[in-house]
Amino acid sequence: MEYGNGNGIRNGLGSIIGNGLGNIIGNDHGINNGHVNGNGNVNGSGKGNGAKVEKMKPMDSEVLRKQGHIMVDFIADYYKNLEDSPQNLPVLSQVQPGYLRDILPNSAPERPEPLKELLDDVSKKIIPGLTHWQSPSYFAYYASSTSVAGFLGEMLSTGLSVVGFTWLTSPAATELEVIVLDWLAKLLQLPDHFLSTGNGGGVIQGTACEAVLVVVLAARDRIMKKVGKTSLSQLVVYASDQTHSSFRKACLIGGIHEENIRLLKTDSSTNYGMPPKSLEEAISSDLAKGFIPFFICATVGTTSSAAVDPLVPLGKIAKSNGIWMHVDAAYAGNACICPEFRKHIDGVENADSFNINAHKWLFANQTCSPLWVKDRYSLIDALKTNPEYLEYKVSKRDEVVNYKDWQISLSRRFRSLKLWMVLRLYGAENLRNFIRDHVNLAKHFEDYVVQDSHFEVVTTRYFSLVCFRLSPADGDEDKCNEQNRELLAAVNTTGKIFISHTVLSGKFVLRFAVGAPLTEEKHVTEAWRVIQKHASKFFHNKKY
Ligand SMILES: Cc1ncc(COP(=O)(O)O)c(C=O)c1O
């Protein structure tokens, strides 16, 4: 069965709902039994029965216990359905913009509603509007990997609900974060200066965007201390034209002038890695014009094509010019816990900061973005605040970490718990093997592409992303781009798989990224079958 596209919300959803999403709240697990408070309410009597609304008790351990079990069952059934009933869950949501407003009330309820009713709505109205990132047939962008350990860690962290902005506000939250990031730094074989035992240390940011922002601010303040605050308009930054857009945003937030953001051109000759020579030339030219180079953002595993900037030469250039080098390894950095991939971050020794997204490929559920800095005082100098209401004698002591001074926001979640749980409940060897499995699955897909003369692999693959396309049949690049665009739309409209695209040197390229935790070889094989089937219309002499 293929999913309709643009057939109207109600038609489109009808088949989805009718075909088994009911299983998600299946009878086995009691949602329909309404055994919580007799009627499934979080809080006393249901709506519409005329009774006075009972006084709310937002946290009741027994209600939590019962409804928590129901919720875990609901989520477990969702995952089971992703595996067993993929025909009911199009990987890329097929709803139309505004679909939800048509099917939800205009205002919030005055009276409590039963959990069962709410979960029914989730099944019928919310889930059809989800793109299933955890589907085994999800191959778009980069994955957002979940795991049971990560989920349990999130649950525990949400359950405990502490807010560890200073050491005092939950010493365990701060101390566990310091320890777990030291553990992870050792697994990545990061240099000792990134460990908490030296001048550096790690902090879990929410996202890679936040990570690059805080280090741009730290580097900016470090250089301005040296050259004076009036020099802001002379500060220049460097990255490749493949760098994630968050870098530009971070610079603009940091007051760096847009025209001082140098995005160095890349091409296929370096597999889209930043050419060190271009960096050297750009720095020399800027120095000659009186600009002040202060920041390089290198990437290991670019968003577009998983390109790797050569950290060894870039780091040398950064060091010799006194420039802060940040390494954004949001996706591929996770693979560097495997010795065979560690070479991609050789040269990190000369970086001032390094970031990975453990929620991308280390099974730490959204969101968890460890950042390490070589000199924590640069970060703290830029971000420290000391309102009287947070002062307490122990918080002032140098030996305690107050993570509020390492990030933008004050409040912070206890994210290290889930990372700790992932590392403990799986162990590093399992994590390495899982990453290797994903890379092997990508290789498997790449082999399919290579064996089919209608297709070509566009970039050298280092990790679990394959960049490929239908080859230009008669050298016509425009026509080829159009066909690949059409192919992308066609396969994603099936709902069977979801892949994404990028543009490299003017070529419209398809991206196949393995990283969802449920993906197995059979899903990769099926994905290739779907792609081949929809590509066949472009060939006159071959049908699959
Ligand atoms: C290399 C790279 N950097 C940064 C980001 C942004 O990550 P986040 O969404 O955690 O800010 C991404 C997202 O895919 C990425 O691939």
Side-chain angles (χ1 to χ4, degrees):
M1 169 192 158
E2 303 217 341
Y3 297 91
N5 186 29
N7 296 336
I9 296 150
R10 291 181 198 277
N11 286 347
L13 295 189
S15 62
I16 298 165
I17 296 159
N19 277 332
L21 266 180
N23 293 344
I24 287 176
I25 54 163
N27 294 331
D28 287 350
H29 301 302
I31 292 176
N32 292 329
N33 301 337
H35 64 254
V36 177
N37 287 345
N39 60 9
N41 278 5
V42 175
N43 187 52
S45 41
K47 65 171 182 180
N49 59 9
K52 201 163 172 265
V53 178
E54 271 176 36
K55 188 170 177 211
M56 176 172 151
K57 189 173 179 198
M59 182 46 76
D60 174 317
S61 56
E62 286 313 310
V63 174
L64 173 66
R65 192 184 312 282
K66 286 179 181 153
Q67 304 216 338
H69 282 132
I70 291 172
M71 192 57 86
V72 169
D73 283 337
F74 184 87
I75 296 165
D77 284 346
Y78 170 69
Y79 278 90
K80 192 164 165 44
N81 276 292
L82 284 177
E83 280 190 285
D84 295 352
S85 310
Q87 69 281 7
N88 299 324
L89 297 164
V91 188
L92 176 64
S93 175
Q94 307 286 314
V95 301
Q96 298 298 310
Y99 88 100
L100 197 53
R101 191 166 282 286
D102 288 347
I103 52 179
L104 286 188
N106 273 335
S107 54
E110 281 297 325
R111 285 171 171 266
E113 297 183 0
L115 179 62
K116 176 194 171 312
E117 216 168 275
L118 191 140
L119 289 180
D120 272 349
D121 270 359
V122 173
S123 291
K124 292 178 182 150
K125 299 174 181 169
I126 301 297
I127 286 185
L130 297 184
T131 287
H132 299 290
W133 285 66
Q134 304 312 322
S135 161
S137 300
Y138 176 95
F139 302 107
Y141 313 118
Y142 286 132
S144 176
S145 66
T146 52
S147 66
V148 173
F151 173 74
L152 296 179
E154 271 288 312
M155 221 173 150
L156 189 55
S157 146
T158 298
L160 299 176
S161 266
V162 300
V163 189
F165 44 72
T166 56
W167 177 87
L168 182 80
T169 58
S170 265
T174 297
E175 295 198 11
L176 187 65
E177 188 159 329
V178 171
I179 292 165
V180 170
L181 289 199
D182 279 353
W183 282 10
L184 193 50
K186 287 177 192 164
L187 288 178
L188 290 161
Q189 297 176 57
L190 294 184
D192 285 352
H193 55 240
F194 283 129
L195 299 179
S196 63
T197 41
N199 264 0
V203 53
I204 303 180
Q205 303 285 332
T207 64
C209 294
E210 292 163 56
V212 72
L213 172 59
V214 296
V215 295
V216 163
L217 299 179
R220 179 202 62 186
D221 285 7
R222 185 177 79 170
I223 189 75
M224 293 219 298
K225 261 194 208 145
K226 225 158 105 186
V227 299
K229 284 188 178 157
T230 53
S231 312
L232 190 62
S233 63
Q234 289 151 269
L235 300 186
V236 283
V237 298
Y238 306 87
S240 91
D241 58 3
Q242 301 296 310
T243 303
H244 192 268
S245 55
S246 54
F247 176 58
R248 177 178 166 273
K249 194 187 272 190
C251 292
L252 295 181
I253 294 172
I256 307 305
H257 292 207
E258 172 120 50
E259 57 277 19
N260 293 359
I261 302 173
R262 313 271 185 258
L263 297 182
L264 306 172
K265 194 169 166 353
T266 61
D267 60 29
S268 58
S269 66
T270 56
N271 204 31
Y272 297 93
M274 193 197 303
K277 196 160 174 286
S278 308
L279 177 66
E280 245 168 350
E281 285 168 4
I283 291 173
S284 303
S285 155
D286 282 329
L287 286 172
K289 289 179 199 146
F291 285 109
I292 305 167
F294 84 101
F295 195 90
I296 296 168
C297 182
T299 308
V300 173
T302 58
T303 315
S304 220
S305 67
V308 174
D309 290 339
L311 300 188
V312 172
L314 298 182
K316 281 186 189 151
I317 299 169
K319 199 170 176 191
S320 64
N321 287 281
I323 297 175
W324 182 300
M325 181 166 88
H326 173 63
V327 179
D328 172 0
Y331 153 71
N334 294 289
C336 299
I337 63 168
C338 303
E340 67 272 33
F341 297 117
R342 172 60 177 74
K343 61 176 186 262
H344 294 295
I345 56 168
D346 281 356
V348 70
E349 297 70 28
N350 279 331
D352 293 275
S353 48
F354 176 79
N355 167 235
I356 66 170
N357 272 357
H359 59 252
K360 271 195 167 58
W361 207 9
L362 211 58
F363 314 100
N365 296 42
Q366 289 267 340
T367 58
C368 183
S369 190
L371 165 73
W372 290 268
V373 287
K374 184 174 172 180
D375 172 15
R376 59 177 172 268
Y377 300 102
S378 302
L379 197 56
I380 294 169
D381 282 352
L383 301 176
K384 193 174 170 70
T385 54
N386 290 309
E388 180 54 36
Y389 46 81
L390 295 182
E391 287 295 329
Y392 196 82
K393 55 182 186 295
V394 71
S395 296
K396 284 185 181 164
R397 296 217 314 249
D398 199 37
E399 80 258 30
V400 302
V401 170
N402 295 311
Y403 273 128
K404 72 177 176 59
D405 299 332
W406 298 51
Q407 62 176 29
I408 303 294
S409 54
L410 177 70
S411 296
R412 63 196 324 268
R413 309 191 64 225
F414 193 171
R415 289 192 176 96
S416 57
L417 259 183
K418 66 180 163 183
L419 204 46
W420 188 50
M421 288 177 66
V422 166
L423 293 173
R424 286 190 61 184
L425 294 180
Y426 298 129
E429 203 44 43
N430 261 323
L431 294 171
R432 287 190 197 102
N433 286 337
F434 214 91
I435 284 172
R436 288 175 180 132
D437 284 350
H438 280 165
V439 175
N440 286 334
L441 289 176
K443 169 142 192 5
H444 190 65
F445 182 84
E446 187 179 48
D447 289 343
Y448 283 133
V449 177
V450 169
Q451 284 158 24
D452 188 329
S453 61
H454 294 102
F455 286 87
E456 65 185 12
V457 172
V458 178
T459 56
T460 304
R461 182 189 52 76
Y462 303 128
F463 307 102
S464 68
L465 170 70
V466 182
C467 290
F468 71 108
R469 65 170 187 162
L470 276 166
S471 322
D474 40 19
D476 184 340
E477 283 291 337
D478 288 343
K479 186 168 151 204
C480 177
N481 283 349
E482 208 33 61
Q483 289 185 339
N484 279 290
R485 211 181 283 275
E486 250 185 72
L487 177 60
L488 178 75
V491 297
N492 286 341
T493 304
T494 65
K496 290 180 176 169
I497 63 170
F498 180 27
I499 61 174
S500 57
H501 78 280
T502 188
V503 173
L504 294 168
S505 305
K507 295 178 185 168
F508 188 91
V509 174
L510 305 175
R511 296 173 75 266
F512 188 89
V514 181
L518 294 173
T519 303
E520 295 172 24
E521 190 175 317
K522 64 181 181 192
H523 302 109
V524 170
T525 302
E526 173 61 11
W528 177 243
R529 203 194 58 75
V530 171
I531 293 167
Q532 271 193 326
K533 177 174 171 228
H534 287 270
S536 66
K537 77 172 212 186
F538 299 114
F539 323 133
H540 305 299
N541 54 356
K542 187 168 176 185
K543 284 268 177 281
Y544 290 97

